[in-house]
Amino acid sequence: MPVTRGFVGKRRGHERRLPPGQYDVGGSWPVLTAEATPRIAPDQWSLTVDGLVERPSTWSWDEIHRLPESTYFGDIHCVTTWSKFDVAFKGVSVDALLEAAGPMPEAAYVLAHSSTGYTTNLPMEDVVDGKAWVVWEYGGKPLPREHGGPVRLLVPHLYFWKSAKWVSRLELMAHDRPGFWEQNGYHDRGDPWLEQRYQGD
Ligand SMILES: Nc1nc2c(c(=O)[nH]1)N[C@H]1C(S)=C(S)[C@@H](COP(=O)(O)O)O[C@H]1N2
Ligand SMILES: [Mo]
């Protein structure tokens, strides 16, 4: 029956897009913050890439805007089970920052720091080759403060707790060091397709 086949095909497409245990949150964008939302003026903001790099580097708001612009259009997935389809972010790729800073061969992990004290850890493989961004625009508008504005990290292929809001530093390290949620029971890597929500998943 062609009609049944079409229906099944559509459902399969949707399921392919939604990682296991997730639902489509639709038009809203929930705010999830474990701390008070800071007010950071763009001219007070800066981002440093240091640790195991040849050239420790810091960019001001103006300086980071001079790097080649890069965009993400796609989906995001929160460990609290909402997923949001077709979001558009603009900023720079983490690759561009690393190219300037020159990671040393021993650099195997990154600890992303927020100016609020929040941290989250990532293997280098998860932030290179066009998989991670530092972003300041959402849907063509400045990134809202409650969502990490002026600038947040964006690692959309992992659960959203890896996308540190109000990002201020990327520290390259030889050894893995758990961040805030990873110390509090969340999975070390957080791949939504493997449902890596909590330690032991
Ligand atoms: N600095 C900082 N970044 C953070 C958090 C936080 O509490 N502080 N929460 C994380 C978590 S658990 C999630 S799910 C996402 C939520 O991002 P949103 O509020 O923009 O949806 O931000 C992540 N980044
Ligand atoms: Mo979260």
Side-chain angles (χ1 to χ4, degrees):
M1 272 166 39
V3 171
T4 303
R5 235 182 355 250
F7 177 68
V8 169
K10 250 181 211 156
R11 279 195 48 190
R12 244 190 236 131
H14 191 71
E15 278 157 15
R16 211 168 22 235
R17 193 165 179 185
L18 209 48
Q22 298 290 111
Y23 74 96
D24 176 1
V25 75
S28 64
W29 185 8
V31 172
L32 285 130
T33 309
E35 52 203 1
T37 297
R39 190 177 293 277
I40 305 163
D43 64 357
Q44 295 298 309
W45 175 90
S46 70
L47 177 68
T48 295
V49 177
D50 65 1
L52 296 176
V53 296
E54 303 289 347
R55 299 171 293 279
S57 305
T58 298
W59 290 267
S60 67
W61 174 258
D62 287 341
E63 287 163 348
I64 205 160
H65 280 76
R66 279 180 227 128
L67 295 176
E69 188 176 287
S70 182
T71 57
Y72 171 73
F73 183 80
D75 306 340
I76 54 179
H77 311 287
C78 177
V79 71
T80 61
T81 74
W82 58 264
S83 288
K84 190 165 171 54
F85 293 155
D86 295 332
V87 294
F89 288 99
K90 189 169 96 178
V92 295
S93 72
V94 170
D95 295 298
L97 304 174
L98 294 177
E99 196 182 309
M104 293 178 183
E106 313 88 272
Y109 296 91
V110 185
L111 193 65
H113 298 255
S114 299
S115 52
T116 51
Y118 183 88
T119 52
T120 186
N121 56 314
L122 297 138
M124 281 293 279
E125 298 93 74
D126 280 315
V127 301
V128 296
D129 301 329
K131 292 194 290 290
W133 291 260
V134 159
V135 297
W136 49 78
E137 243 184 62
Y138 168 75
K141 296 202 183 85
L143 183 67
R145 197 160 71 90
E146 65 275 18
H147 288 299
V151 182
R152 80 181 295 163
L153 184 64
L154 175 69
V155 191
H157 72 289
L158 298 178
Y159 283 125
F160 215 37
W161 87 78
K162 296 289 182 181
S163 295
K165 304 200 266 192
W166 316 293
V167 68
S168 60
R169 180 181 176 207
L170 301 177
E171 179 187 4
L172 275 61
M173 317 179 293
H175 304 288
D176 199 12
R177 220 163 90 206
F180 175 78
W181 280 120
E182 295 83 4
Q183 290 172 42
N184 286 285
Y186 280 27
H187 195 276
D188 199 57
R189 178 147 182 273
D191 184 335
W193 297 98
L194 302 175
E195 231 183 328
Q196 295 172 334
R197 297 178 193 274
Y198 307 107
Q199 274 166 33
D201 284 352

